[in-house]
Amino acid sequence: MRPPLDAREAERLVETYADLILRLSYTYLSHTQDAQDVCQTVFLKLLERAPVFAGPDHEKAWIIRTTVNTCKDLLKSHWRKTTAPMEAAAAEAEDGSLLAAVNLLPPKYRLVIYLYYFEGYSAQEIARLLGCPRTTVSTQLRRGREQLKPLLESEGVL
């Protein structure tokens, strides 16, 4: 552990990772407000724990892993299970967009598709980030693509 982050370091982290955390959270949860909550939670964890990173790749991997775990925690929370979602006043992903089609996939496929195509991670890197075998990631990518193809065709994207 290191001493608490100073304001400049905290600002750098927000500027560097806020968009990644929001996009990844939205891809996982499909709700803008939940994604914003996860983003705040991840930064709070980062500020509270102040981990020491071996380098930029380690820092980014920690951010992604913490974001995914926070999304999973939100999905299994008692509050989430016992309340009905309200329709968001703000527009979510634009209908007919690639992201809208990706968001129609089950969460496990959405996540690997997002990390692979939008963030540029390899299957091996995704496996390391998610703590699962590379073959699992490859299978999820294949199945996600199989489910995504008809969605894109019906939307006229393909």
Side-chain angles (χ1 to χ4, degrees), residues 104-122:
L104 295 174
L105 295 173
K108 65 182 176 183
Y109 301 142
R110 256 194 319 242
L111 180 60
V112 295
I113 293 282
Y114 177 80
L115 289 172
Y116 188 83
Y117 289 104
F118 291 86
E119 293 299 325
Y121 283 99
S122 69

Side-chain angles (χ1 to χ4, degrees), residues 134-148:
R134 186 197 56 75
T135 54
T136 300
V137 171
S138 296
T139 300
Q140 289 175 345
L141 280 169
R142 181 180 47 79
R143 290 178 181 167
R145 288 181 198 115
E146 289 170 356
Q147 290 186 20
L148 190 58

